[in-house]
Amino acid sequence: MLIAEIGLNHLGQSENLINYIDKLIETDIDAVTLQVREPEFYNEKWGGHPAGFFNLELHKDNYFYVKDKIKASGKKFGIAIGDINYINFFESLNVDFYKVIRNDITDFKLIDKLIETEKEVIVSTGLSSNIEISKFVNYIGDNKNFKLNHTQLSYDIEDCNLNAIKNMKQNYGLEVSFGNHCKDINVLYMALCYNPSDILFYVKHIESVPDSEHAIHLSKVNEVVNNINNFKKALGTGIKKTSINKMEETPYEKSERLKNEDADGWDNTLWG
């Protein structure tokens, strides 16, 4: 899936949230997430941005609107959850999947509650060591509803460590997605070389939002999605075989080849 993360960039305002949802359902992304943090987070000034932010918590009524709009569009609705007490509420809305944020991979009370939902869960490893990831994988056993998410909570390209996607797949036997926090958007495209199960990126409607540094403006989302889907075609099957020289074929030969490919039911589906 290609997942657009609103996070807290709605700034706790319904009109901003509606704008995000209305714009995103018109794009080719597969899913949308919102972030719900622990109560103490909302009670303090958000200190990760020079401006600081207050009142980032959405009223519960907003989630009914979001659920209806997103599901009616055929896309999936996910929650990046930081408050275990909200899970029953989101289960009543029948959200499609959850994301475990920060270092909550070590919060087994939260993990147990998410196991009970039987929903797909993407688990961030942005602050986790190999030891912590191993403990988590051993804890969930053969539960295949869980995916790991490789990310680094840093804007710097030097910290992206994309090779970890390959290593995590080999070491833990789970699907591994990639969540981008780097300011250089090209990292999203480079991550395709590691065939992540999903790609997650933040979106913004203005510059002055909590995740502004690495978020993609709403007006650019379709461009980024189209690039990802197009670049993914370059990966191929990895199998070398006898092929034709497309660089020297005549227009007629090209036309006949394309007809044959269509007749064979050429599958251009990129993301399941």
Short mmCIF file of all heavy atoms in Angstrom, two decimals, residues 211-263:
data_model
loop_
_atom_site.label_atom_id
_atom_site.label_comp_id
_atom_site.label_asym_id
_atom_site.label_seq_id
_atom_site.Cartn_x
_atom_site.Cartn_y
_atom_site.Cartn_z
N ASP A 211 4.72 18.15 11.18
CA ASP A 211 5.59 17.31 10.35
C ASP A 211 5.96 17.99 9.04
O ASP A 211 6.13 17.33 8.01
CB ASP A 211 4.89 15.97 10.07
CG ASP A 211 4.78 15.11 11.31
OD1 ASP A 211 5.83 14.75 11.86
OD2 ASP A 211 3.65 14.81 11.73
N SER A 212 6.12 19.29 9.07
CA SER A 212 6.37 20.05 7.85
C SER A 212 7.67 19.67 7.15
O SER A 212 7.74 19.63 5.92
CB SER A 212 6.38 21.55 8.17
OG SER A 212 6.67 22.30 7.01
N GLU A 213 8.72 19.39 7.92
CA GLU A 213 10.05 19.19 7.35
C GLU A 213 10.10 18.07 6.31
O GLU A 213 10.79 18.16 5.31
CB GLU A 213 11.06 18.90 8.46
CG GLU A 213 11.36 20.09 9.36
CD GLU A 213 12.26 21.11 8.69
OE1 GLU A 213 12.84 20.81 7.63
OE2 GLU A 213 12.36 22.24 9.22
N HIS A 214 9.36 16.99 6.57
CA HIS A 214 9.45 15.83 5.69
C HIS A 214 8.14 15.49 4.99
O HIS A 214 8.07 14.51 4.25
CB HIS A 214 9.92 14.60 6.48
CG HIS A 214 9.03 14.26 7.64
ND1 HIS A 214 9.02 15.00 8.79
CD2 HIS A 214 8.14 13.26 7.82
CE1 HIS A 214 8.16 14.46 9.64
NE2 HIS A 214 7.60 13.41 9.06
N ALA A 215 7.10 16.29 5.21
CA ALA A 215 5.79 16.00 4.62
C ALA A 215 5.72 16.51 3.18
O ALA A 215 6.38 17.47 2.80
CB ALA A 215 4.69 16.64 5.46
N ILE A 216 4.88 15.85 2.40
CA ILE A 216 4.64 16.22 1.01
C ILE A 216 3.37 17.06 0.93
O ILE A 216 2.35 16.69 1.51
CB ILE A 216 4.50 14.95 0.14
CG1 ILE A 216 5.82 14.18 0.14
CG2 ILE A 216 4.06 15.29 -1.28
CD1 ILE A 216 5.70 12.77 -0.39
N HIS A 217 3.44 18.17 0.22
CA HIS A 217 2.26 19.02 0.11
C HIS A 217 1.15 18.29 -0.63
O HIS A 217 1.42 17.50 -1.56
CB HIS A 217 2.62 20.32 -0.61
CG HIS A 217 1.57 21.38 -0.47
ND1 HIS A 217 0.46 21.44 -1.30
CD2 HIS A 217 1.45 22.40 0.43
CE1 HIS A 217 -0.29 22.46 -0.94
NE2 HIS A 217 0.28 23.07 0.10
N LEU A 218 -0.08 18.54 -0.23
CA LEU A 218 -1.22 17.88 -0.85
C LEU A 218 -1.22 18.02 -2.37
O LEU A 218 -1.62 17.10 -3.09
CB LEU A 218 -2.53 18.43 -0.28
CG LEU A 218 -2.89 18.01 1.15
CD1 LEU A 218 -4.11 18.81 1.63
CD2 LEU A 218 -3.16 16.51 1.22
N SER A 219 -0.77 19.15 -2.85
CA SER A 219 -0.77 19.40 -4.29
C SER A 219 0.23 18.53 -5.04
O SER A 219 0.17 18.40 -6.27
CB SER A 219 -0.48 20.88 -4.57
OG SER A 219 0.82 21.22 -4.13
N LYS A 220 1.18 17.92 -4.30
CA LYS A 220 2.23 17.11 -4.92
C LYS A 220 2.03 15.61 -4.73
O LYS A 220 2.83 14.80 -5.24
CB LYS A 220 3.59 17.50 -4.34
CG LYS A 220 4.00 18.96 -4.57
CD LYS A 220 4.34 19.20 -6.03
CE LYS A 220 4.90 20.60 -6.23
NZ LYS A 220 5.21 20.86 -7.66
N VAL A 221 0.99 15.23 -4.01
CA VAL A 221 0.82 13.81 -3.66
C VAL A 221 0.70 12.92 -4.89
O VAL A 221 1.37 11.89 -5.00
CB VAL A 221 -0.38 13.62 -2.72
CG1 VAL A 221 -0.72 12.13 -2.56
CG2 VAL A 221 -0.09 14.23 -1.35
N ASN A 222 -0.16 13.30 -5.83
CA ASN A 222 -0.33 12.44 -7.01
C ASN A 222 0.95 12.33 -7.83
O ASN A 222 1.24 11.27 -8.39
CB ASN A 222 -1.48 12.94 -7.87
CG ASN A 222 -2.65 11.97 -7.87
OD1 ASN A 222 -2.56 10.87 -7.34
ND2 ASN A 222 -3.74 12.38 -8.46
N GLU A 223 1.70 13.41 -7.89
CA GLU A 223 2.98 13.35 -8.61
C GLU A 223 3.92 12.34 -7.97
O GLU A 223 4.56 11.53 -8.67
CB GLU A 223 3.63 14.73 -8.61
CG GLU A 223 5.00 14.78 -9.27
CD GLU A 223 5.65 16.15 -9.16
OE1 GLU A 223 4.92 17.15 -8.94
OE2 GLU A 223 6.89 16.22 -9.30
N VAL A 224 3.99 12.34 -6.65
CA VAL A 224 4.85 11.41 -5.93
C VAL A 224 4.35 9.97 -6.11
O VAL A 224 5.14 9.05 -6.36
CB VAL A 224 4.91 11.78 -4.43
CG1 VAL A 224 5.62 10.68 -3.64
CG2 VAL A 224 5.61 13.11 -4.25
N VAL A 225 3.05 9.77 -5.99
CA VAL A 225 2.48 8.42 -6.16
C VAL A 225 2.75 7.90 -7.57
O VAL A 225 3.14 6.74 -7.75
CB VAL A 225 0.97 8.43 -5.86
CG1 VAL A 225 0.33 7.10 -6.26
CG2 VAL A 225 0.73 8.70 -4.38
N ASN A 226 2.55 8.74 -8.56
CA ASN A 226 2.81 8.32 -9.94
C ASN A 226 4.27 7.97 -10.15
O ASN A 226 4.60 7.00 -10.85
CB ASN A 226 2.40 9.43 -10.92
CG ASN A 226 0.89 9.59 -11.00
OD1 ASN A 226 0.13 8.68 -10.66
ND2 ASN A 226 0.44 10.77 -11.44
N ASN A 227 5.16 8.75 -9.54
CA ASN A 227 6.59 8.44 -9.64
C ASN A 227 6.91 7.11 -9.01
O ASN A 227 7.66 6.30 -9.57
CB ASN A 227 7.41 9.54 -8.98
CG ASN A 227 7.48 10.81 -9.80
OD1 ASN A 227 7.23 10.80 -10.99
ND2 ASN A 227 7.82 11.92 -9.16
N ILE A 228 6.37 6.87 -7.83
CA ILE A 228 6.62 5.60 -7.14
C ILE A 228 6.15 4.43 -7.99
O ILE A 228 6.87 3.44 -8.19
CB ILE A 228 5.93 5.59 -5.76
CG1 ILE A 228 6.64 6.55 -4.80
CG2 ILE A 228 5.95 4.17 -5.17
CD1 ILE A 228 5.93 6.75 -3.48
N ASN A 229 4.93 4.51 -8.49
CA ASN A 229 4.39 3.42 -9.29
C ASN A 229 5.16 3.23 -10.59
O ASN A 229 5.37 2.10 -11.05
CB ASN A 229 2.91 3.66 -9.60
CG ASN A 229 2.02 3.38 -8.41
OD1 ASN A 229 2.35 2.55 -7.56
ND2 ASN A 229 0.89 4.06 -8.33
N ASN A 230 5.61 4.32 -11.17
CA ASN A 230 6.37 4.23 -12.41
C ASN A 230 7.76 3.65 -12.17
O ASN A 230 8.21 2.75 -12.89
CB ASN A 230 6.49 5.61 -13.06
CG ASN A 230 7.02 5.54 -14.48
OD1 ASN A 230 6.64 4.67 -15.25
ND2 ASN A 230 7.92 6.45 -14.81
N PHE A 231 8.44 4.15 -11.12
CA PHE A 231 9.79 3.67 -10.83
C PHE A 231 9.78 2.20 -10.42
O PHE A 231 10.75 1.47 -10.66
CB PHE A 231 10.45 4.50 -9.73
CG PHE A 231 10.70 5.94 -10.12
CD1 PHE A 231 10.82 6.93 -9.16
CD2 PHE A 231 10.82 6.30 -11.46
CE1 PHE A 231 11.06 8.24 -9.51
CE2 PHE A 231 11.06 7.62 -11.82
CZ PHE A 231 11.18 8.59 -10.85
N LYS A 232 8.69 1.76 -9.81
CA LYS A 232 8.62 0.36 -9.37
C LYS A 232 8.68 -0.60 -10.56
O LYS A 232 9.16 -1.73 -10.43
CB LYS A 232 7.35 0.12 -8.55
CG LYS A 232 7.36 -1.20 -7.78
CD LYS A 232 6.20 -1.28 -6.83
CE LYS A 232 6.35 -2.46 -5.87
NZ LYS A 232 6.25 -3.75 -6.56
N LYS A 233 8.24 -0.12 -11.72
CA LYS A 233 8.29 -0.97 -12.91
C LYS A 233 9.74 -1.33 -13.27
O LYS A 233 10.00 -2.36 -13.88
CB LYS A 233 7.66 -0.25 -14.10
CG LYS A 233 6.19 0.08 -13.94
CD LYS A 233 5.71 0.91 -15.12
CE LYS A 233 4.29 1.40 -14.95
NZ LYS A 233 3.84 2.28 -16.06
N ALA A 234 10.68 -0.47 -12.89
CA ALA A 234 12.08 -0.70 -13.24
C ALA A 234 12.68 -1.87 -12.49
O ALA A 234 13.74 -2.39 -12.88
CB ALA A 234 12.89 0.57 -12.97
N LEU A 235 12.07 -2.34 -11.42
CA LEU A 235 12.62 -3.42 -10.62
C LEU A 235 12.61 -4.74 -11.38
O LEU A 235 13.53 -5.55 -11.27
CB LEU A 235 11.85 -3.58 -9.31
CG LEU A 235 11.95 -2.42 -8.33
CD1 LEU A 235 11.07 -2.67 -7.11
CD2 LEU A 235 13.39 -2.20 -7.90
N GLY A 236 11.55 -4.99 -12.15
CA GLY A 236 11.46 -6.22 -12.91
C GLY A 236 11.39 -7.46 -12.05
O GLY A 236 11.10 -7.40 -10.84
N THR A 237 11.68 -8.61 -12.67
CA THR A 237 11.60 -9.90 -11.96
C THR A 237 12.95 -10.34 -11.40
O THR A 237 13.01 -11.23 -10.56
CB THR A 237 11.09 -10.99 -12.91
OG1 THR A 237 12.06 -11.16 -13.98
CG2 THR A 237 9.74 -10.61 -13.50
N GLY A 238 14.03 -9.74 -11.90
CA GLY A 238 15.36 -10.17 -11.48
C GLY A 238 15.89 -11.34 -12.28
O GLY A 238 17.02 -11.79 -12.08
N ILE A 239 15.08 -11.85 -13.22
CA ILE A 239 15.47 -13.01 -14.03
C ILE A 239 15.93 -12.53 -15.40
O ILE A 239 15.21 -11.82 -16.11
CB ILE A 239 14.29 -13.99 -14.20
CG1 ILE A 239 13.84 -14.50 -12.83
CG2 ILE A 239 14.67 -15.15 -15.12
CD1 ILE A 239 12.56 -15.30 -12.88
N LYS A 240 17.14 -12.90 -15.79
CA LYS A 240 17.65 -12.57 -17.12
C LYS A 240 17.14 -13.60 -18.13
O LYS A 240 17.17 -14.80 -17.89
CB LYS A 240 19.18 -12.57 -17.12
CG LYS A 240 19.80 -11.49 -16.26
CD LYS A 240 19.61 -10.10 -16.86
CE LYS A 240 20.42 -9.91 -18.12
NZ LYS A 240 20.28 -8.52 -18.67
N LYS A 241 16.65 -13.12 -19.27
CA LYS A 241 16.16 -14.03 -20.31
C LYS A 241 16.36 -13.39 -21.67
O LYS A 241 16.59 -12.18 -21.79
CB LYS A 241 14.68 -14.33 -20.06
CG LYS A 241 13.78 -13.10 -20.09
CD LYS A 241 12.33 -13.48 -19.79
CE LYS A 241 11.44 -12.24 -19.83
NZ LYS A 241 10.03 -12.57 -19.53
N THR A 242 16.26 -14.22 -22.69
CA THR A 242 16.39 -13.73 -24.05
C THR A 242 15.27 -12.73 -24.33
O THR A 242 14.11 -12.97 -24.01
CB THR A 242 16.29 -14.89 -25.05
OG1 THR A 242 17.32 -15.85 -24.76
CG2 THR A 242 16.47 -14.38 -26.48
N SER A 243 15.64 -11.60 -24.90
CA SER A 243 14.64 -10.57 -25.17
C SER A 243 14.90 -9.93 -26.53
O SER A 243 15.94 -10.18 -27.16
CB SER A 243 14.67 -9.50 -24.08
OG SER A 243 15.93 -8.88 -24.02
N ILE A 244 13.96 -9.12 -26.96
CA ILE A 244 14.10 -8.44 -28.24
C ILE A 244 14.78 -7.09 -28.03
O ILE A 244 14.79 -6.55 -26.92
CB ILE A 244 12.73 -8.24 -28.92
CG1 ILE A 244 11.84 -7.34 -28.06
CG2 ILE A 244 12.06 -9.57 -29.21
CD1 ILE A 244 10.54 -6.96 -28.75
N ASN A 245 15.30 -6.54 -29.11
CA ASN A 245 15.93 -5.23 -29.07
C ASN A 245 14.86 -4.17 -29.36
O ASN A 245 14.56 -3.86 -30.51
CB ASN A 245 17.05 -5.15 -30.11
CG ASN A 245 17.84 -3.85 -30.02
OD1 ASN A 245 17.40 -2.89 -29.38
ND2 ASN A 245 19.00 -3.82 -30.65
N LYS A 246 14.28 -3.63 -28.30
CA LYS A 246 13.21 -2.65 -28.47
C LYS A 246 13.74 -1.32 -29.01
O LYS A 246 12.97 -0.51 -29.52
CB LYS A 246 12.49 -2.42 -27.14
CG LYS A 246 11.71 -3.61 -26.64
CD LYS A 246 10.99 -3.29 -25.33
CE LYS A 246 10.24 -4.49 -24.82
NZ LYS A 246 9.54 -4.19 -23.53
N MET A 247 15.05 -1.11 -28.89
CA MET A 247 15.62 0.16 -29.35
C MET A 247 15.66 0.25 -30.87
O MET A 247 15.73 1.35 -31.44
CB MET A 247 17.03 0.32 -28.77
CG MET A 247 17.07 0.41 -27.25
SD MET A 247 18.74 0.30 -26.59
CE MET A 247 19.46 1.79 -27.26
N GLU A 248 15.62 -0.90 -31.54
CA GLU A 248 15.75 -0.89 -32.99
C GLU A 248 14.51 -1.41 -33.71
O GLU A 248 14.53 -1.57 -34.94
CB GLU A 248 16.99 -1.71 -33.40
CG GLU A 248 18.29 -1.12 -32.89
CD GLU A 248 19.51 -1.92 -33.30
OE1 GLU A 248 19.35 -2.93 -34.03
OE2 GLU A 248 20.63 -1.56 -32.88
N GLU A 249 13.43 -1.71 -32.98
CA GLU A 249 12.25 -2.22 -33.65
C GLU A 249 11.54 -1.10 -34.42
O GLU A 249 11.58 0.07 -34.04
CB GLU A 249 11.29 -2.87 -32.65
CG GLU A 249 10.69 -1.93 -31.64
CD GLU A 249 9.79 -2.66 -30.64
OE1 GLU A 249 9.41 -3.81 -30.89
OE2 GLU A 249 9.48 -2.05 -29.60
N THR A 250 10.89 -1.48 -35.49
CA THR A 250 10.15 -0.52 -36.30
C THR A 250 8.83 -0.19 -35.61
O THR A 250 8.38 -0.93 -34.72
CB THR A 250 9.84 -1.11 -37.69
OG1 THR A 250 8.94 -2.22 -37.53
CG2 THR A 250 11.12 -1.57 -38.38
N PRO A 251 8.18 0.91 -36.00
CA PRO A 251 6.87 1.24 -35.43
C PRO A 251 5.87 0.10 -35.58
O PRO A 251 5.08 -0.17 -34.67
CB PRO A 251 6.44 2.48 -36.22
CG PRO A 251 7.73 3.13 -36.59
CD PRO A 251 8.67 2.00 -36.88
N TYR A 252 5.91 -0.59 -36.73
CA TYR A 252 4.99 -1.72 -36.94
C TYR A 252 5.29 -2.85 -35.95
O TYR A 252 4.39 -3.44 -35.35
CB TYR A 252 5.09 -2.23 -38.37
CG TYR A 252 4.26 -3.48 -38.60
CD1 TYR A 252 2.88 -3.40 -38.77
CD2 TYR A 252 4.87 -4.74 -38.63
CE1 TYR A 252 2.11 -4.55 -38.96
CE2 TYR A 252 4.11 -5.89 -38.82
CZ TYR A 252 2.74 -5.78 -38.99
OH TYR A 252 1.99 -6.92 -39.15
N GLU A 253 6.57 -3.18 -35.80
CA GLU A 253 6.96 -4.25 -34.87
C GLU A 253 6.55 -3.91 -33.44
O GLU A 253 6.09 -4.77 -32.68
CB GLU A 253 8.47 -4.48 -34.94
CG GLU A 253 8.91 -5.12 -36.24
CD GLU A 253 10.43 -5.14 -36.38
OE1 GLU A 253 11.10 -4.27 -35.77
OE2 GLU A 253 10.94 -5.99 -37.12
N LYS A 254 6.72 -2.63 -33.08
CA LYS A 254 6.31 -2.21 -31.74
C LYS A 254 4.81 -2.35 -31.56
O LYS A 254 4.34 -2.83 -30.52
CB LYS A 254 6.73 -0.76 -31.49
CG LYS A 254 6.35 -0.23 -30.12
CD LYS A 254 6.84 1.19 -29.91
CE LYS A 254 6.45 1.71 -28.53
NZ LYS A 254 6.92 3.10 -28.30
N SER A 255 4.05 -1.93 -32.56
CA SER A 255 2.59 -2.03 -32.50
C SER A 255 2.15 -3.48 -32.33
O SER A 255 1.27 -3.79 -31.51
CB SER A 255 1.97 -1.44 -33.76
OG SER A 255 0.57 -1.62 -33.77
N GLU A 256 2.76 -4.40 -33.10
CA GLU A 256 2.41 -5.82 -33.01
C GLU A 256 2.79 -6.40 -31.64
O GLU A 256 2.06 -7.20 -31.07
CB GLU A 256 3.10 -6.60 -34.12
CG GLU A 256 2.55 -6.32 -35.51
CD GLU A 256 1.08 -6.68 -35.61
OE1 GLU A 256 0.74 -7.84 -35.36
OE2 GLU A 256 0.28 -5.77 -35.90
N ARG A 257 3.95 -5.98 -31.12
CA ARG A 257 4.37 -6.47 -29.80
C ARG A 257 3.39 -6.04 -28.72
O ARG A 257 3.01 -6.84 -27.86
CB ARG A 257 5.77 -5.95 -29.47
CG ARG A 257 6.22 -6.25 -28.03
CD ARG A 257 7.66 -5.85 -27.79
NE ARG A 257 7.90 -4.44 -28.03
CZ ARG A 257 7.60 -3.47 -27.15
NH1 ARG A 257 6.99 -3.77 -26.01
NH2 ARG A 257 7.89 -2.21 -27.43
N LEU A 258 2.97 -4.78 -28.76
CA LEU A 258 2.04 -4.28 -27.75
C LEU A 258 0.70 -4.99 -27.85
O LEU A 258 0.06 -5.28 -26.82
CB LEU A 258 1.86 -2.77 -27.91
CG LEU A 258 3.10 -1.92 -27.59
CD1 LEU A 258 2.83 -0.44 -27.88
CD2 LEU A 258 3.53 -2.11 -26.15
N LYS A 259 0.26 -5.30 -29.06
CA LYS A 259 -0.99 -6.06 -29.23
C LYS A 259 -0.88 -7.43 -28.58
O LYS A 259 -1.80 -7.90 -27.91
CB LYS A 259 -1.33 -6.22 -30.71
CG LYS A 259 -1.81 -4.97 -31.39
CD LYS A 259 -2.09 -5.24 -32.86
CE LYS A 259 -2.49 -3.97 -33.60
NZ LYS A 259 -2.71 -4.23 -35.04
N ASN A 260 0.26 -8.08 -28.77
CA ASN A 260 0.46 -9.42 -28.20
C ASN A 260 0.53 -9.37 -26.68
O ASN A 260 0.02 -10.26 -25.99
CB ASN A 260 1.74 -10.03 -28.76
CG ASN A 260 1.62 -10.39 -30.22
OD1 ASN A 260 0.51 -10.65 -30.72
ND2 ASN A 260 2.74 -10.40 -30.94
N GLU A 261 1.16 -8.32 -26.17
CA GLU A 261 1.24 -8.18 -24.71
C GLU A 261 -0.15 -7.99 -24.12
O GLU A 261 -0.47 -8.55 -23.07
CB GLU A 261 2.16 -7.02 -24.34
CG GLU A 261 3.63 -7.30 -24.61
CD GLU A 261 4.51 -6.11 -24.34
OE1 GLU A 261 3.96 -5.02 -24.05
OE2 GLU A 261 5.75 -6.25 -24.42
N ASP A 262 -0.98 -7.17 -24.77
CA ASP A 262 -2.34 -6.97 -24.30
C ASP A 262 -3.13 -8.27 -24.36
O ASP A 262 -3.92 -8.59 -23.47
CB ASP A 262 -3.05 -5.91 -25.16
CG ASP A 262 -2.52 -4.50 -24.89
OD1 ASP A 262 -1.93 -4.31 -23.82
OD2 ASP A 262 -2.70 -3.63 -25.76
N ALA A 263 -2.92 -9.05 -25.41
CA ALA A 263 -3.64 -10.32 -25.57
C ALA A 263 -3.26 -11.32 -24.50
O ALA A 263 -4.05 -12.17 -24.10
CB ALA A 263 -3.38 -10.90 -26.96
#
